[in-house]
Amino acid sequence: MHSLGFVSTIIPAYNRPAMLRDAVASVLAQTYPRVEVIIVDDGSEDETPKVAGELATLHPGVVRWFRQDNAGPGAARNLGLRHARGEFIQYLDSDDLLEPGKFESQVAALQQHPDVGLAYGITRRVDVATGESRVWARTGEQIEHIFPSFLMKRDWDTNAPLWRRTTCEAIGPWLELRCLEDWEHDLRAGMLGIRAVHVPKPGAIVRDHDAMRASGMTTGFTVEIVRDMARAHAAVWSRMRALDLRDWSYLEEFSRKVFWIARMCGERGLITEADEALEIASEMMTGHSAAKRLRMFRVLVRILGWRRAVALGERAMHGLAA
């Protein structure tokens, strides 16, 4: 049985001992009393497991921790959710913080709106070096529809929503990717018609810093990141196609994005992913004038191969990629 009114916070952690302490402290400082913290160490190679164990010892029955081989934040959240006991689920990145009143205000909002699947509040993005702060994305306003609004980019961060557990179960497991797993997860919620309620109060703090990402990856369009970008977009399109979500009002821009990913894959020698992304973009553009220009690029790929086609075709295809 899951405890009614109980909030389970799931924190994936990879090589972040100091920041993990801060993240856990922000949960324990909640004005809402019914909380637990589940730390999932994602194969850290430093003091993070030791810190997780210390926190569990200091807060018995409230903080628990588990360890897995390094597999990324999606896999860590899946493990945490399997062990969560709460009616409500909070995902918290180990380098970020929750505002003290987040659970109190957002649990109340969910209880007042039984027809919605999640609540979210204002997220501030803070530069740890300068202290500069700003409201992140659209967390200061009501977002009416997750889909198709999130197709081009997410309108909140992973810390912003407080989910009903039943909503998490309806969405299904996180993809075991190291990037864009959060974007794909939230779009699945949107395609299910899950709605959100906005709470116009501080909810979370995203901290910008120079340390390693939770995925264990460096920044920039590396081969690994581009591969996961392609896989995440393929997963989203598969679900859109199954649900017959093909309105050109959002597919036009989204198909250009997928075509851009195809070219990045081709540049990096990810031929299987490049071919699949190009096929997806072609499916999206079927029946529209943009498909003609995409066919031109297909010819270039067949004649020149992916790398040369990308290098020589960018200018010719500028109208499609813009």
Side-chain angles (χ1 to χ4, degrees), residues 15-238:
N15 289 354
R16 279 183 178 156
M19 287 184 169
L20 177 60
R21 290 186 187 276
D22 295 342
V24 171
S26 76
V27 182
L28 300 178
Q30 290 294 304
T31 57
Y32 188 82
R34 305 191 66 197
V35 303
E36 71 169 350
V37 179
I38 300 172
I39 302 167
V40 180
D41 177 68
D42 187 29
S44 294
E45 300 169 336
D46 63 0
E47 296 294 303
T48 300
K50 179 181 177 182
V51 168
E54 290 173 353
L55 290 168
T57 299
L58 284 170
H59 306 283
V62 177
V63 177
R64 292 181 290 151
W65 79 285
F66 303 88
R67 181 173 172 85
Q68 66 177 24
D69 292 339
N70 183 257
R77 295 183 190 116
N78 287 336
L79 177 58
L81 186 58
R82 289 196 294 271
H83 290 280
R85 297 176 294 200
E87 179 186 4
F88 305 105
I89 303 296
Q90 172 70 53
Y91 297 111
L92 175 60
D93 291 339
S94 58
D95 51 348
D96 296 328
L97 307 170
L98 301 181
E99 299 277 15
K102 185 182 197 298
F103 293 170
E104 184 176 2
S105 61
Q106 292 178 11
V107 167
L110 288 171
Q111 291 172 337
Q112 292 164 12
H113 297 84
D115 58 327
V116 305
L118 64 137
Y120 69 98
I122 298 167
T123 298
R124 290 187 296 122
R125 188 151 196 160
V126 177
D127 187 317
V128 297
T130 66
E132 294 180 2
S133 172
R134 67 186 188 278
V135 174
W136 177 233
R138 293 178 59 198
T139 58
E141 61 185 86
Q142 175 67 46
I143 299 168
E144 296 298 335
H145 302 287
I146 300 171
F147 180 90
S149 175
F150 281 29
L151 267 179
M152 298 307 293
K153 64 178 182 179
R154 293 170 87 208
D155 288 331
W156 56 48
D157 68 292
T158 302
N159 314 296
L162 177 67
W163 302 86
R164 296 187 193 275
R165 187 194 188 92
T166 53
T167 302
C168 296
E169 292 169 347
I171 295 168
W174 294 71
L175 291 187
E176 295 191 3
L177 303 176
R178 295 177 184 272
C179 72
L180 291 190
E181 83 295 335
D182 43 12
W183 169 79
E184 187 276 339
H185 171 274
D186 293 356
L187 276 172
R188 265 189 281 155
M191 285 186 269
L192 288 171
I194 291 166
R195 295 172 52 241
V197 60
H198 181 243
V199 179
K201 295 181 179 181
I205 299 171
V206 172
R207 298 194 287 181
D208 285 331
H209 57 84
D210 295 329
M212 177 71 75
R213 301 292 95 188
S215 63
M217 289 185 173
T218 55
T219 57
F221 293 123
T222 63
V223 169
E224 294 80 10
I225 286 175
V226 172
R227 181 186 289 116
D228 275 5
M229 288 173 64
R231 291 173 177 172
H233 282 74
V236 167
W237 174 240
S238 177

Side-chain angles (χ1 to χ4, degrees), residues 258-279 281-282 292-314 316-317 320:
V258 173
F259 176 55
W260 169 66
I261 291 171
R263 300 196 313 277
M264 288 205 298
C265 288
E267 284 180 313
R268 290 157 179 79
L270 298 169
I271 305 306
T272 299
E273 290 82 0
D275 288 342
E276 182 180 18
L278 189 59
E279 179 61 30
S282 298
K292 296 178 181 179
R293 288 173 286 179
L294 195 61
R295 285 195 292 270
M296 293 169 54
F297 186 79
R298 280 181 176 274
V299 172
L300 282 178
V301 170
R302 284 198 301 268
I303 295 172
L304 303 174
W306 265 102
R307 283 194 173 96
R308 291 184 63 198
V310 171
L312 297 176
E314 286 295 311
M317 298 304 296
L320 178 62

